[in-house]
């Protein structure tokens, strides 16, 4: 009984934005044709953010050691943000909507009681990717932001999280990812620069192929008069 008395009470987040949550889940009830695509996206869509980070690494190979350092720091920053979100999740201990509002419409299955809601881990990964890529490539970051909005909406649509869980993810992910990426770009650029001249060069720097004089002459010979 002593253990039960000292246990942290679970937070009921339905009083924060439960009405907005049910508005989204009611929309999910009315669009059952969209349920399966959204359920597939909400999990497999995280792969898109991995692809965007790989694209950032690929383009950074032609931009020098600092850009490559930021590209390599991106997944580290995402992992750091996710770890921070997991700590917050344990501290806040907000129960999932499926337990606080069992009569709402749910696409996703209800997780274990120990799997808390605030903040959303999926949304944390998405927003952290946006922040990490922002320091590397604004265009990739903008693309990631579009997918991050879709990821955040899907977490509410399937009934896994309240809207404030998704917003809380952004509040955690943005500063952590930016701080980690910025710190690594300052501390590790010289190391990456050194490694780019060794055996790891194919992974860290692209080979620039110079155009030879005969090749230039041959190209000129084919030009119209």
């Amino acid at each position: 009984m002593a253990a039960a008395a000292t246990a942290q009470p679970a937070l009921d987040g339905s009083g924060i934005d439960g009405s907005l949550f049910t508005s989204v889940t009611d929309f999910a009830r009315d669009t059952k044709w969209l349920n399966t695509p959204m359920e597939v996206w909400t999990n497999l869509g995280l792969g898109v953010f991995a692809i965007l980070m790989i694209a950032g690494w690929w383009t950074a190979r032609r931009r020098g050691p600092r850009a490559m350092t930021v590209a390599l720091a991106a997944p580290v920053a995402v992992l750091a943000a996710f770890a921070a979100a997991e700590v917050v999740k344990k501290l806040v201990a907000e129960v999932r909507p499926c337990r606080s509002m069992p009569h709402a419409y749910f696409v996703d299955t209800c997780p274990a009681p120990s799997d808390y809601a605030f903040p959303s881990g999926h949304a944390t990964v998405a927003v952290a990717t946006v922040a990490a890529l922002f320091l590397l490539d604004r265009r990739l970051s903008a693309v990631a932001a579009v997918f991050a909005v879709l990821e955040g909406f899907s977490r509410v649509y399937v009934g896994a999280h309240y809207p404030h869980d998704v917003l809380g993810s952004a509040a955690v992910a943005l500063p952590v990812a930016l701080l980690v990426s910025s710190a690594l770009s300052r501390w590790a650029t010289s190391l990456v620069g050194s490694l780019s001249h060794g055996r790891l060069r194919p992974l860290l720097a692209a080979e620039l192929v110079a155009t030879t004089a005969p090749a230039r002459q041959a190209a000129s010979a084919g030009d119209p008069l």
Side-chain angles (χ1 to χ4, degrees):
M1 294 182 62
T6 57
Q8 180 181 3
L11 173 66
D12 182 355
S14 61
I16 300 175
D17 51 8
S19 60
L20 180 57
F21 171 80
T22 54
S23 295
V24 177
T25 56
D26 286 346
F27 172 70
R29 179 188 285 112
D30 296 335
T31 55
K32 292 187 177 180
W33 56 271
L34 189 58
N35 287 183
T36 298
M38 290 294 278
E39 188 175 18
V40 171
W41 163 260
T42 199
N43 292 310
L44 297 185
L46 294 179
V48 171
F49 300 102
I51 293 173
L52 289 173
M53 284 188 281
I54 292 173
W57 159 76
W58 184 258
T59 59
R61 293 168 66 246
R62 299 181 179 276
R63 296 172 52 193
R66 183 172 178 82
M68 176 53 66
T69 304
V70 177
L72 295 176
V76 178
V78 171
L79 289 175
F82 182 80
E86 288 299 300
V87 172
V88 174
K89 186 174 290 190
K90 296 296 183 183
L91 293 175
V92 175
E94 178 191 75
V95 295
R96 294 275 183 166
C98 58
R99 301 188 184 281
S100 296
M101 306 182 69
H103 300 297
Y105 180 78
F106 296 95
V107 177
D108 205 7
T109 57
C110 193
S114 58
D115 188 353
Y116 298 118
F118 181 90
S120 165
H122 288 67
T124 296
V125 170
V127 176
T129 303
V130 175
L133 290 178
F134 183 80
L135 299 177
L136 175 66
D137 189 313
R138 300 290 172 85
R139 289 173 297 181
L140 284 177
S141 180
V143 173
V146 173
F147 286 116
V149 171
L150 179 58
E151 181 65 29
F153 176 76
S154 73
R155 299 309 289 159
V156 182
Y157 181 95
V158 301
H161 290 281
Y162 295 107
H164 70 263
D165 297 335
V166 175
L167 295 177
S169 302
V172 173
L174 284 173
V176 172
L178 289 173
L179 179 62
V180 171
S181 291
S182 298
L184 288 177
S185 68
R186 290 195 303 267
W187 299 337
T189 297
S190 59
L191 174 61
V192 172
S194 299
L195 293 175
S196 64
H197 296 291
R199 294 181 178 181
L200 295 178
R201 180 174 178 80
L203 297 176
L204 303 178
E207 295 290 344
L208 298 178
V209 180
T211 304
T212 61
R216 289 196 298 269
Q217 293 174 359
S220 300
D223 292 338
L225 295 177

